Amino acid sequence: MRLRGRKGIREDLEQQRDLVVLDPREYKGRWAEAFGNGRPIHIELGMGKGQFISGMSVKYPEVNFIGMDMYDELIRRAGEKVRAIWREQGAERPENVRLALGNVESLEEFFAPGEVERIYLNFSDPWPKKKHWRRRLTHPRFLDKYRALLNERGEIHFKTDSRILFEFSLNSFAACGLQMSDISLSLHEGGVNEGHVMTEYESKFVGQGLPIYRCEVIVGEAALQRYHEHKLERF
């Protein structure tokens, strides 16, 4: 992806320290300090223009959200969206969301083991060519990174419009011995699923009548125990 950013964009982002983190390495192991509380931390990897992370931060004020992307311009656009949605709520500044500039390849440099409770992977690049499969964010080499960062309640929530990527991902989760839950081959079939905050891509694809594939991956021990307890209750 090539983005043409505004002139002086980095200088602008440097003035937004209440929201933007240009070097997430500075907060490794102390993100709770950055937020000023010990609430659970949920991160979205590859947040795009910020529709999902801004919507989630308003819907779940009891959670701290971090939206991460590697492009200055997307950080800028997401920042505008976050501030706008919080102004609609009557808040001067967003308290429970930060936007971090970083590459997923270096994720272990940004977060300490057990520091994260949930990871969102929304409409990641499907990298269709076989020679690029290692770049897919659900490849086992990335799953190993996620498992190291997630705490005992840790989960991965994954959405995509690519059936090829979805099938690949299910196989990756299974190969890594991860428990899957709430698998959907058409999340919004019969109408928009109001329980889910949508991304920009998701809104577009749903409007075109395309299926959205989704699943949750249970990683942490406490999360696994809760999953099995609920499974027994259902049956």
Side-chain angles (χ1 to χ4, degrees), residues 126-134 136:
W127 294 106
K129 294 182 180 180
K130 189 172 182 179
K131 65 179 180 179
H132 293 151
W133 283 2
R134 282 179 55 82
R136 291 174 171 174

Side-chain angles (χ1 to χ4, degrees), residues 11-154:
E11 291 78 8
D12 177 59
L13 294 178
E14 288 175 349
Q15 301 303 312
Q16 300 188 54
R17 295 190 178 277
D18 63 322
L19 177 63
V20 175
V21 178
L22 292 177
D23 186 4
R25 293 175 181 83
E26 296 179 1
Y27 288 104
K28 179 179 178 178
R30 58 188 193 91
W31 281 99
E33 188 179 315
F35 285 103
N37 59 64
R39 296 170 184 165
I41 293 176
H42 294 188
I43 63 177
E44 182 187 12
L45 302 179
M47 66 173 174
K49 299 176 184 177
Q51 179 169 303
F52 178 82
I53 203 74
S54 58
M56 290 292 284
S57 69
V58 168
K59 187 172 183 178
Y60 300 102
E62 72 280 7
V63 174
N64 292 328
F65 290 93
I66 300 172
M68 179 169 286
D69 215 292
M70 61 187 291
Y71 297 104
D72 292 27
E73 176 61 12
L74 289 179
I75 297 291
R76 183 191 69 79
R77 295 183 190 183
E80 290 181 346
K81 194 157 293 186
V82 168
R83 292 188 190 283
I85 196 171
W86 276 96
R87 280 196 297 270
E88 292 174 1
Q89 306 301 312
E92 293 185 6
R93 60 185 296 271
E95 298 289 345
N96 69 328
V97 59
R98 298 291 185 276
L99 307 178
L101 182 68
N103 192 320
V104 180
E105 291 281 0
S106 303
L107 199 60
E108 65 275 16
E109 298 178 21
F110 307 146
F111 301 95
E115 194 168 21
V116 177
E117 182 169 297
R118 185 174 298 172
I119 292 174
Y120 295 99
L121 302 175
N122 293 321
F123 302 91
S124 309
D125 193 326
W127 294 106
K129 294 182 180 180
K130 189 172 182 179
K131 65 179 180 179
H132 293 151
W133 283 2
R134 282 179 55 82
R135 299 183 185 182
R136 291 174 171 174
L137 295 190
T138 52
H139 188 281
R141 73 187 186 93
F142 284 112
L143 297 180
D144 286 341
K145 291 177 183 285
Y146 307 153
R147 287 197 289 190
L149 304 182
L150 289 166
N151 61 27
E152 61 181 7
R153 297 175 298 280

